Each structure stands twice: as structure tokens, then as C-alpha cells.
Amino acid sequence: MLTLCIGVLIGTLLNTGVKAARESVAPGATPLTIPAPSVIQNSFSQLAKQLEPSVVNISSEYIPKASVTQNRNQSRRPLRIVPQDPDDQGGDQQQDQGGMEDFLRRFFNNPNGPQMPQESQRGASLGSGFVVSSNGYILTNNHVVERANRIRVKFNGDQTEYDAKVIGTDWQTDLAVIKIDRTNLIPVRMGNSDSIQVGDWAIAIGSPFGFQETVTAGIISAKSRDIPGDSTTFQHFLQTDAAINPGNSGGPLLNINGEVIGINTQIASRSGGYQGIGFAMPSNTAVKVYNQIIKTGKVTRGSIGISFQANTAQIRELLKAYGAKNGVFVSHVEPGGPAEKAGLREQDIITEINGQKIQTGNDLIDVVADTPIGQSIRIDYLRDGKPAQTEVTIADRSKVFPKEPGAPETSDDNGNGGGDEATQARFGISIQNLNDKLKQNMGVKENGVVVQSVEPGSFAEDMGLVQGDVITQLNRKPITSVDQFKSIQSQLHTGDAVALRVLRSAGGGRQGGGEWQTLYLAGTVPAAGQ
């Protein structure tokens, strides 16, 4: 009885204490419940699911070269400045001279910002792209993949990284076509960008700052937007307020039907991040570029060999002074070009092409650039206020203007990496015979071949080969010469195993007297192995 009484007393005290505690924390509160999941239907979520298999993340690696990197950066101009707002009086005048300055950044950069790596460092860039063909063709921005030694593509939900190769690029529209070795992909549906109206919905999908499959929405803010100070003449953007950030470059801009109407390319921003103004290359331009690249590997545009000034208020006054209401004022005629051969001169005003009125320089460029090389067009123009007409044969723009301002420069480096005696071999290496004199200088006692250079991003680099290594065996077969090494290589195919026996200087150098370590490196020959 005593034990029972004690138990009842303890239970009462505990229950009273718990009840008091509950009442003291949240008197009158009732527990919340989680309802059963339900699907909320909306167009944006459907588009996200529809495009998920088609939008990819693109990462590229490159070894910068000082001269080429600098020249290309200047030509591509990743940092642009919009003219200053005269109404703004604030800001630090010692920093970019103050004022309302918007910075237009192309998104080759990494999440840490647009700074360029030093020459000795390896660079990396992140971007986006989208599948346009089931057999592995992908459309993206040129600045995402240019200079890249290796390009890798990832799909959402798939950790596999697929090596990609560049099919062709076009720096003037900042577009590129790459391909991966994969089939049965789901391509996007291309739309007609000419049908888009200001105020229409716009949805951007990409990998901003590396966050894959990010979806943002907004509207089309403007069409045919030209960037102030842009040296290129084929970029007339769709403007949108859908959030676009570094890493979105090359990703699709969609209409409400899930059709691609643009390729996200630039933003206007003081900070380098989203501030409500993004620019996308219209899909109709992208389709034309893509079709040329997959056919010839490059883009060829027509030209008549003239230069003109932008259509400004001053130019309109100039046209008026020369007796014209509309047209393109010719400021320069390229010597030996089609226009000169047809009799056009400086100060002529082009008013029509094949009966189509020409209001601005963009009108002229759009017609001429799309006309096949070798075809003739009829040009109506004014000279000294009097109408005239001539036939002009379209020529290749790259030949008419071989040193066009803004064109990327190429490197003269042939990449032989090791002097006259080095020989390029598969796997991305150049090698040299290890003769008696070289063996003595290096302090090597075995036979083999010396690795003179290793191509960044190559199969050889993946295996771990470095410059100065001595390869003594390939797949357990002794190596005594470059010819023997290449002969064994020629028998290897995609998917075959590769095993190397390598001597490497313990000091990391090639001077004689050093200690040499034996290493065994291995890998599997990739598709289209280097």
C-alpha cells in the first residue's frame, strides 16, 4: 500500500509539472500538421521539367598565354562601359571618374569574379548551353569555350562529365557549337525570335555561379538592342529582366511555350551580378550561325566593302545636308573592294538594296551579310543629291576586311614544346629520342623517350605525365625510340587500357646527378584520343 501511494504521488507530480511547463511555454497553442503533398500546376514548373534534360553546365580549362590572352580580351571586351548619366552627381570621382556607369560583363568568368589568371596559372570558366540535336550537338556562347584546352559538359542529375570538342565558333555573334560523344539526347525546341513582343514572358535557365538548372522568369524589356560602344556589328540583342548572372552565359531564354527565343550572353551591371538588365542573342540569329557552322565549320558573311558611321542625330543632320531623308552615309570605300569596283564613292548615300528601303546601317548589314557570296545586288544611292543605281557583287567579308577591328588574334606558337628534335605523338604529348649524350646529361641509365611537352587537358595529363618524364615501357613493351613508341600507340583504340613505366626526377628537373624514381601510370584511351 505504501509503495502504491508513493507511485501515485510521483505520477501526479510529474503530470502536474509537465502540464505547468506546457502552459508556461505557449499557453493555448496547438501542434501544427504537415498536409499531404499536392501538385500545384503552373507553366513555369512545367517548362523547368521539360527543359531539364536539355540544358547543360559547361566548364572549361585553359592555360593562358600572355600575348594571346591580352589581345583576345581586348577584342572581346568583357568589360564595357555605358555612357555616363549627366544627372548623377554622386560617387567617387577617383574611381572610374564617378557617375552612373553600368558595366557590361560577358560571363566567361568564375564565381569569384572576372579577374584574369596569371600566365603561369590554370584558368577555368563556367557557363551553360543547351542540346540542339539528339546526337550530341550543343549551342553555347563563344566566350564560354574560347581558349579552352578542355571542355566538359554535365547534365542535371548526372555526375558524369562528358568531354566536348568545338565544332566551330563565331566571335562576331559570340556563339559556338560543341559536341559530346553521347546519343539519344533530348533537344530543345527552337522558336522564332521575330515573333516576340516587348512585355512577353521570358524564362532563363542555366548554371549561375555553378548552381545547375537555375530557373528565373521575367519579361522581354526591349528588342534589337545594340550595346553602346560595341565594336561588333552583328549583335542586336533581346533585353530581359529575367535574372541572369555569371554562369548563365550560353543558356536558353525561353518563351511561355518552352521554345528557345534567345541565348543569354551579357548583363548591364555595376556589381557584375544581376541588376535587372540582361541581353540574349535572338534565336533566329543563332539558327543561321549554327547551320553554317555544322556545314562548313565556320561562318561566312557577305560584304560590299564600305564603312559607315552609326545612325545618330548628327548623321541624320548630315543626310539632310546631302539631300536625303534616309539611308546609309558611306564614310569609306575599301580599295579594291566590291563597292569600289561597282563605282560607289565616299559620301554616297545608299537608300535601297534590291528595292528594299535602307534606313540604318543595321538594315544594310542584315541584307548584305545574308546574301550568298558571289551573288549580285542592286543598290540605289544618292550622289550630290541625284539618284543613281549600280550592281555590286557580294564578296567574303573576311577577305574584304582581313584585319577587321575587334577580330580575335591567333597565336603563332606551334606548340612543339621541345625544339627541332621533338616529335608530336598521340595522347597529347611531344617526345624526343633519349640518345647517349642526353642520357649522360640527365643522369639516366635506362633507354626510353623524353617527354618534351604535355598538352593541357589531354589524356597524357590525365594519366599524370609531366614534362621531363622518361617513358621506358608502353603496355609492358620496352621503349627505345620515338618510332617504336608511336608504332605501339598506333595499335591502340578507344577503350583500350594504357600502362606506362616512367622515370621521373626526384628533384622535378632534368639536370644530371639527380635521383630518378620509377612510376607506373595508367588510363583508358578516350574517344578521339589525343
Side-chain angles (χ1 to χ4, degrees), residues 338-395:
E340 185 186 60
K341 293 177 181 178
L344 286 173
R345 302 178 194 167
E346 187 177 314
Q347 302 182 35
D348 286 346
I349 299 173
I350 297 176
T351 58
E352 292 185 10
I353 296 180
N354 288 341
Q356 178 179 338
K357 287 189 177 299
I358 300 299
Q359 302 285 348
T360 66
N362 288 339
D363 293 339
L364 184 147
I365 288 174
D366 291 342
V367 173
V368 172
D370 288 342
T371 303
I373 308 300
Q375 183 172 316
S376 294
I377 58 175
R378 187 184 75 249
I379 291 182
D380 289 77
Y381 62 98
L382 293 177
R383 177 177 296 168
D384 298 327
K386 299 178 181 180
Q389 192 177 88
T390 186
E391 294 280 332
V392 180
T393 302
I394 302 296

Side-chain angles (χ1 to χ4, degrees), residues 337-522:
E340 185 186 60
K341 293 177 181 178
L344 286 173
R345 302 178 194 167
E346 187 177 314
Q347 302 182 35
D348 286 346
I349 299 173
I350 297 176
T351 58
E352 292 185 10
I353 296 180
N354 288 341
Q356 178 179 338
K357 287 189 177 299
I358 300 299
Q359 302 285 348
T360 66
N362 288 339
D363 293 339
L364 184 147
I365 288 174
D366 291 342
V367 173
V368 172
D370 288 342
T371 303
I373 308 300
Q375 183 172 316
S376 294
I377 58 175
R378 187 184 75 249
I379 291 182
D380 289 77
Y381 62 98
L382 293 177
R383 177 177 296 168
D384 298 327
K386 299 178 181 180
Q389 192 177 88
T390 186
E391 294 280 332
V392 180
T393 302
I394 302 296
D396 187 336
R397 182 183 180 89
S398 64
K399 296 179 180 178
V400 176
F401 297 104
K403 296 182 180 179
E404 183 172 2
E409 297 184 18
T410 57
S411 171
D412 293 332
D413 180 16
N414 59 16
N416 62 19
D420 296 335
E421 297 182 13
T423 302
Q424 193 69 29
R426 286 180 63 194
F427 304 162
I429 57 174
S430 61
I431 53 179
Q432 179 181 346
N433 285 319
L434 187 62
N435 55 37
D436 292 339
K437 183 176 180 180
L438 196 54
K439 287 172 65 175
Q440 183 178 358
N441 291 338
M442 296 175 64
V444 177
K445 298 181 180 179
E446 299 185 43
N447 295 321
V449 293
V450 182
V451 177
Q452 290 282 15
S453 67
V454 179
E455 183 178 336
S458 64
F459 176 47
E461 187 186 58
D462 285 347
M463 285 193 293
L465 279 172
V466 299
Q467 182 181 12
D469 282 351
V470 176
I471 302 174
T472 62
Q473 291 182 11
L474 171 54
N475 283 359
R476 297 184 295 176
K477 297 179 180 179
I479 300 299
T480 58
S481 68
V482 169
D483 290 340
Q484 184 184 21
F485 182 85
K486 294 178 70 174
S487 175
I488 299 174
Q489 272 190 326
S490 65
Q491 302 172 27
L492 298 173
H493 305 285
T494 299
D496 287 349
V498 175
L500 300 175
R501 182 179 181 271
V502 173
L503 299 179
R504 179 172 298 170
S505 171
R510 292 177 50 182
Q511 288 75 20
E515 184 178 345
W516 291 84
Q517 297 178 338
T518 301
L519 301 175
Y520 290 89
L521 309 176

Side-chain angles (χ1 to χ4, degrees), residues 175-214:
L175 295 173
V177 179
I178 63 176
K179 188 182 186 302
I180 61 173
D181 187 19
R182 184 177 168 183
T183 57
N184 299 320
L185 298 177
I186 302 176
V188 300
R189 288 187 295 128
M190 300 300 294
N192 189 328
S193 54
D194 288 344
S195 65
I196 295 299
Q197 301 298 319
V198 174
D200 286 349
W201 279 110
I203 302 95
I205 303 180
S207 303
F209 299 104
F211 293 103
Q212 238 177 309
E213 203 66 21
T214 297

Side-chain angles (χ1 to χ4, degrees), residues 78-195:
L79 188 63
R80 292 196 176 96
I81 302 177
V82 173
Q84 188 170 325
D85 184 347
D87 295 330
D88 180 74
Q89 302 299 324
D92 180 4
Q93 293 188 0
Q94 292 182 347
Q95 181 177 354
D96 295 332
Q97 300 179 4
M100 294 284 288
E101 292 182 337
D102 286 348
F103 298 100
L104 290 156
R105 303 179 187 270
R106 296 184 187 273
F107 306 131
F108 67 89
N109 53 347
N110 55 42
N112 296 324
Q115 66 272 16
M116 295 304 299
Q118 299 298 320
E119 180 180 3
S120 59
Q121 298 175 333
R122 170 163 300 189
S125 64
L126 294 174
S128 305
F130 52 92
V131 177
V132 291
S133 176
S134 61
N135 56 349
Y137 289 93
I138 294 169
L139 193 59
T140 185
N141 279 143
N142 176 49
H143 70 258
V144 172
V145 299
E146 71 170 343
R147 300 179 294 133
N149 300 111
R150 162 165 287 185
I151 303 169
R152 290 187 172 109
V153 171
K154 286 180 63 176
F155 289 80
N156 191 43
D158 184 355
Q159 295 302 313
T160 305
E161 291 187 318
Y162 299 91
D163 284 324
K165 64 178 181 179
V166 176
I167 302 300
T169 63
D170 179 37
W171 70 272
Q172 292 185 308
T173 55
D174 195 15
L175 295 173
V177 179
I178 63 176
K179 188 182 186 302
I180 61 173
D181 187 19
R182 184 177 168 183
T183 57
N184 299 320
L185 298 177
I186 302 176
V188 300
R189 288 187 295 128
M190 300 300 294
N192 189 328
S193 54
D194 288 344
S195 65

Side-chain angles (χ1 to χ4, degrees), residues 175-394:
L175 295 173
V177 179
I178 63 176
K179 188 182 186 302
I180 61 173
D181 187 19
R182 184 177 168 183
T183 57
N184 299 320
L185 298 177
I186 302 176
V188 300
R189 288 187 295 128
M190 300 300 294
N192 189 328
S193 54
D194 288 344
S195 65
I196 295 299
Q197 301 298 319
V198 174
D200 286 349
W201 279 110
I203 302 95
I205 303 180
S207 303
F209 299 104
F211 293 103
Q212 238 177 309
E213 203 66 21
T214 297
V215 181
T216 56
I219 63 170
I220 297 296
S221 307
K223 296 177 62 177
S224 298
R225 184 70 83 194
D226 294 327
I227 305 302
D230 197 340
S231 62
T232 59
T233 54
F234 300 97
Q235 296 183 345
H236 313 302
F237 294 102
L238 297 174
Q239 181 182 324
T240 179
D241 66 349
I244 298 174
N245 281 293
N248 271 113
S249 267
L253 187 70
L254 311 166
N255 61 19
I256 199 66
N257 297 323
E259 298 169 329
V260 175
I261 55 169
I263 293 86
N264 301 319
T265 303
Q266 299 185 43
I267 61 171
S269 174
R270 294 187 181 91
S271 64
Y274 168 71
Q275 287 191 260
I277 301 180
F279 301 101
M281 177 60 58
S283 60
N284 288 12
T285 301
V287 167
K288 294 177 183 177
V289 170
Y290 173 81
N291 288 342
Q292 283 205 53
I293 287 177
I294 63 173
K295 183 178 180 180
T296 64
K298 62 180 182 178
V299 177
T300 302
R301 293 185 174 90
S303 174
I304 59 175
I306 66 166
S307 300
F308 54 85
Q309 295 172 250
N311 190 34
T312 63
Q314 186 179 21
I315 291 298
R316 288 192 289 272
E317 293 297 325
L318 186 63
L319 290 174
K320 183 178 179 181
Y322 276 74
K325 295 181 180 179
N326 65 278
V328 171
F329 186 86
V330 178
S331 59
H332 172 74
V333 177
E334 192 71 11
E340 185 186 60
K341 293 177 181 178
L344 286 173
R345 302 178 194 167
E346 187 177 314
Q347 302 182 35
D348 286 346
I349 299 173
I350 297 176
T351 58
E352 292 185 10
I353 296 180
N354 288 341
Q356 178 179 338
K357 287 189 177 299
I358 300 299
Q359 302 285 348
T360 66
N362 288 339
D363 293 339
L364 184 147
I365 288 174
D366 291 342
V367 173
V368 172
D370 288 342
T371 303
I373 308 300
Q375 183 172 316
S376 294
I377 58 175
R378 187 184 75 249
I379 291 182
D380 289 77
Y381 62 98
L382 293 177
R383 177 177 296 168
D384 298 327
K386 299 178 181 180
Q389 192 177 88
T390 186
E391 294 280 332
V392 180
T393 302
I394 302 296

